[in-house]
Amino acid sequence: MTSRTVIIRAEGGAHARPVAELVRLAMAHPEPVELTTAEGRRVDLGSVLAVMDLALVPGDAVVLTADGPGADDLLDALAKVLDG
């Protein structure tokens, strides 16, 4: 399992457009992809509603986790979305 801690810097946090991009990237990956908040809430990045429900804002720290081939590249792409 590969993980990456990311500080959200995208303007407006994780609103509809970046969340849709996160889910699109996660759904293209053959293995499950998870996001865990600093408070320990864990969601599958395949669900727009689950991610939106977290109400992530700039400055929040999250841990992205993926497994399988291409996990490092996927985490790089996900981190870039959250970095704005």
Side-chain angles (χ1 to χ4, degrees):
M1 203 49 85
T2 305
S3 64
R4 176 114 7 105
T5 300
V6 177
I7 305 296
I8 297 173
R9 291 188 172 86
E11 186 177 328
H15 57 85
R17 191 165 289 150
V19 169
E21 181 64 10
L22 292 174
V23 170
R24 184 190 69 76
L25 290 166
M27 294 298 291
H29 190 67
E31 301 289 333
V33 182
E34 293 181 336
L35 181 148
T36 306
T37 67
E39 295 79 26
R41 291 181 66 191
R42 181 178 298 165
V43 298
D44 180 347
L45 272 181
S47 170
V48 170
L49 293 177
V51 180
M52 292 293 293
D53 189 46
L54 296 174
L56 299 169
V57 297
D60 285 349
V62 297
V63 177
L64 303 168
T65 307
D67 202 8
D72 285 322
D73 291 337
L74 171 64
L75 293 177
D76 288 343
L78 294 170
K80 186 175 179 181
V81 171
L82 293 173
D83 195 31

